[in-house]
Amino acid sequence: MPEPTSRDEAPQFVLPLVVHIEKAEPPARTDALETAARAVLVILSDERSLGEGEWAEVMRDWQDARIRKVVRRARGAEWRKASALPGITVTGKAAEVRVFPPVPLDGWPKELAKLQVSGTDLDDPEEPAAPDLSGPVLWMSPDVEMSAGKAMAQAGHGAQLAWWELSPEEREQWRAAGFPLSVRTATAERWKELTESGLPVVRDAGFTEIAPGSCTVVSEHPALRTPRNLK
């Protein structure tokens, strides 16, 4: 395990995300991953999360510690109850993800605490199209197997690391455009290039599913590319 840091010693919070999964019509996996990543960006940039906004203090406390995210699933009445809590629902092609202000690790609202984490297994009915390389791409590791819920959280981490690296002007441009992004799995060769490129890399803390320190996502935002990143 990595040595504890000041982030570990700070009070720990978690950002809850709930994905709407009805048995008859579950969303495609890539759509869910991209929607979760955008949901993280939406709450980071929301006026309630900034300055003196009502969520600003807890958002700062969460970002000062480990940026934990947990994805749970809901359908039917569960989804309607979750949607009534303060938060933001973000929609993709068919996916719906609701993101909530951070909560203490042991302080989940009862409507969310009872939702299941396991079973968030989604598939892509067909191979996703090639990503738009002129826009942001969150590259998933080809070496790490994850449930859809875990991968959604990791995509959210990747989006957040890119956000942190951008200037205020670059953030506003991305927000104004609606946070376009793609999530794709890199080839083994491309993954090696990406992890050595200097772009933001998500290294998982190892709380669930995968080994601590595993590299799961590389965030390739156009504003963060350098000549040596362009292949």
Side-chain angles (χ1 to χ4, degrees), residues 99-119:
V99 60
F100 303 87
V103 298
L105 286 179
D106 57 355
W108 286 67
K110 64 181 187 299
E111 294 89 348
L112 303 183
K114 64 183 181 181
L115 299 178
Q116 302 243 344
V117 178
S118 61

Side-chain angles (χ1 to χ4, degrees), residues 149-170:
K150 179 70 171 180
M152 289 169 69
Q154 297 298 298
H157 292 335
Q160 186 165 359
L161 292 188
W163 177 259
W164 280 352
E165 292 290 325
L166 297 175
S167 69
E169 294 76 18
E170 291 161 345

